[in-house]
Amino acid sequence: MAQSSGLRRFLRNVYGYSFFNKLILLTPVYAVFMQENGLTDMQLALMFVILSAGTFLTQIPVTWITNKFGAKNAIILGQVLKAFAFILWYFCPNFAGFAIGMFLWGVEWAFFNVAFEGLVYDELRARRHQRMYSRVLGIRYNVQAIGTALSAFGSLLMFAGYGWITIASLASLVASVICVIRMRLRAKSVGAKTTRKTNFIKLFKTGAKICARTPCILLMLLLSLFIANIAYLDDYLSPIGIEIGLSVEFVGIIQFFILGCAVLGQTFAYRFARIRDWILYVIICIAGAMFVLFSVDYSLRGLWALGAAYVLFSGLNILLYSRFQDFLPSKYRSVILSLYSIGDNIIYIGTCLVIGLGGTLGSWRYSILILGMILIGVGLWALLFIRDKCAIVPALGENAVKTTHPVGKA
């Protein structure tokens, strides 16, 4: 009973952090705020490139800090950097201020990807509940989506000004830090002594070798990255909303609708954890086609297609990322997650450049059309080249799946 109570307390804090970390009232208006202060469409896309650069360029120091000082302290540091970014935007509303703030937010993403993702899985494993990870991941994504959806109301507070919206966002970050502090962990941390002896360049090379020698890790990593990033339009929903006819006060409506669709997909994703691989790949093609349909009927009426795509992609994201986690050796989890984060941001930079290209052509619809065609291509690639190479089987050992090729010596 005590163990069950401790697990519930831990999960409540996980969900609390996830909620408040996403309850940022600046979410629906910061892109508009940047453009009101002189940024062009391409410069706005460049801001998200800088955000991604801040994430993957700091992977090695972020991993070192996480292992030396512990996941909880690393997560808190990330939140402090994000808070400073929001403050900087308000007091320095120019290209340089926005760029520095985006870079700092990118560093916070690096801490999240390495520290928080690893903390949740390893803690469940330490409590012998790693089999419920996909369900916890789905609930967590739903909680995050609810926080983001509530953030959509930030646009309704425009009458109060950006200053009050910034203060409310900072208050939410403080609440998220309180949740992290309240977490009681059982998983053993690496410790400072071990960290001092670690050659992180060598460790990253080892992680890369593990990915190369275990095809299922590499394939699930790539597929998960493609779906998570190429189908990610969240940062551009406000400009898209304005382009299809919404006023700035009501751009939160499109975010509320789209994130509601994401919640729907995430809620039921775990029920399909054992779905056949080829079915997943067909769904990728169908969801990509929904992007194309929205670009053709680029209006408020056509939002049904974008919403359907988000239902499918949000569910796929959970299933693919959960499978990827299942293949990872615990000893190298933080390092491979760092590699994942690097790839995550490299692909996202490419996505941002595609979206920026669409903006320069005169409309975001062209960006969505190109992304939809790329996603259809990803689904076809998976059908032709991955097929059933990484089929899930009942867990017999440390992980919940069996690889078709064993991990070689690092």
Side-chain angles (χ1 to χ4, degrees):
M1 180 64 70
Q3 183 178 5
S4 177
S5 176
L7 177 63
R8 286 197 298 269
R9 187 184 306 112
F10 169 71
L11 291 178
R12 280 198 299 269
N13 286 306
V14 166
Y15 300 145
Y17 165 80
S18 301
F19 174 77
F20 287 111
N21 187 45
K22 290 294 185 177
L23 184 61
I24 306 298
L25 295 178
L26 278 169
T27 300
V29 296
Y30 73 86
V32 177
F33 176 66
M34 290 179 179
Q35 292 202 301
E36 285 182 356
N37 282 276
L39 265 60
T40 65
D41 288 348
M42 182 55 78
Q43 286 176 328
L44 179 61
L46 182 59
M47 287 297 113
F48 297 113
V49 171
I50 293 171
L51 183 147
S52 293
T55 302
F56 77 80
L57 290 176
T58 58
Q59 284 303 301
I60 291 179
V62 161
T63 304
W64 184 86
I65 290 171
T66 300
N67 287 340
K68 181 175 177 60
F69 298 103
K72 287 176 61 173
N73 292 329
I75 295 168
I76 292 171
L77 176 58
Q79 296 300 84
V80 171
L81 293 176
K82 183 157 68 171
F84 185 76
F86 293 166
I87 295 171
L88 185 63
W89 288 350
Y90 182 73
F91 288 103
C92 298
N94 51 47
F95 183 89
F98 293 142
I100 295 172
M102 276 296 195
F103 186 86
L104 293 176
W105 197 353
V107 178
E108 184 272 332
W109 271 20
F111 278 115
F112 179 88
N113 291 338
V114 175
F116 186 67
E117 295 291 0
L119 179 148
V120 174
Y121 191 95
D122 286 340
E123 190 62 23
L124 288 175
R125 186 169 181 274
R127 297 170 185 268
R128 301 188 179 186
H129 285 286
Q130 68 267 29
R131 287 174 181 263
M132 66 183 296
Y133 177 72
S134 62
R135 184 168 187 175
V136 170
L137 192 63
I139 295 173
R140 202 192 86 206
Y141 280 4
N142 277 347
V143 170
Q144 290 177 180
I146 292 170
T148 306
L150 292 176
S151 296
F153 293 108
S155 62
L156 298 177
L157 299 178
M158 285 292 291
F159 70 90
Y162 288 107
W164 286 106
I165 296 176
T166 299
I167 291 173
S169 299
L170 293 174
S172 188
L173 292 180
V174 171
S176 74
V177 169
I178 292 173
C179 291
V180 175
I181 293 173
R182 288 170 54 84
M183 290 180 186
R184 296 181 182 179
L185 307 182
R186 291 188 180 182
K188 294 180 180 179
S189 60
V190 175
K193 183 176 180 181
T194 304
T195 303
R196 281 195 296 267
K197 297 179 180 179
T198 302
N199 184 326
F200 277 87
I201 299 297
K202 183 177 181 180
L203 198 58
F204 270 73
K205 289 181 179 179
T206 300
K209 288 180 181 178
I210 290 173
C211 292
R213 295 179 183 180
T214 311
C216 284
I217 291 180
L218 181 60
L219 291 173
M220 287 298 104
L221 181 148
L222 289 175
L223 197 54
S224 181
L225 286 175
F226 290 150
I227 299 307
N229 289 282
I230 300 175
Y232 187 82
L233 291 175
D234 298 42
D235 295 326
Y236 299 90
L237 290 177
S238 295
I240 289 171
I242 290 177
E243 199 169 66
I244 61 176
L246 292 172
S247 64
V248 65
E249 291 83 7
F250 298 104
V251 292
I253 292 175
I254 187 173
Q255 294 195 338
F256 193 87
F257 168 71
I258 292 300
L259 290 167
C261 294
V263 168
L264 181 61
Q266 290 159 183
T267 298
F268 298 102
Y270 77 95
R271 295 179 180 270
F272 301 93
R274 301 294 169 179
I275 195 172
R276 296 285 296 273
D277 289 5
W278 70 268
I279 298 177
L280 287 178
Y281 307 150
V282 169
I283 294 173
I284 293 173
C285 295
I286 294 173
M290 292 297 101
F291 265 45
V292 174
L293 284 176
F294 176 61
S295 70
V296 173
D297 187 7
Y298 191 61
S299 63
L300 290 172
R301 181 186 60 191
L303 280 175
W304 72 268
L306 185 60
Y310 260 76
V311 171
L312 297 176
F313 280 129
S314 59
L316 286 167
N317 192 28
I318 286 178
L319 295 175
L320 294 172
Y321 189 76
S322 178
R323 293 187 184 196
F324 166 67
Q325 284 272 26
D326 284 334
F327 283 111
L328 302 187
S330 294
K331 182 178 179 182
Y332 297 101
R333 185 176 306 279
S334 65
V335 175
I336 296 178
L337 285 177
S338 292
L339 294 174
Y340 179 96
S341 183
I342 292 173
D344 184 60
N345 288 278
I346 290 174
I347 295 175
Y348 183 62
I349 285 174
T351 301
C352 289
L353 293 176
V354 169
I355 294 175
L357 174 62
T360 60
L361 293 175
S363 174
W364 301 111
R365 71 187 305 168
Y366 300 118
S367 307
I368 298 168
L369 173 63
I370 297 171
L371 293 177
M373 295 175 66
I374 293 173
L375 287 164
I376 293 172
V378 169
L380 293 174
W381 166 73
L383 278 170
L384 293 174
F385 298 102
I386 300 181
R387 291 177 289 188
D388 61 349
K389 291 181 181 179
C390 303
I392 295 178
V393 299
L396 296 176
E398 175 184 281
N399 295 322
V401 292
K402 176 183 176 182
T403 60
T404 55
H405 302 277
V407 178
K409 275 192 176 183

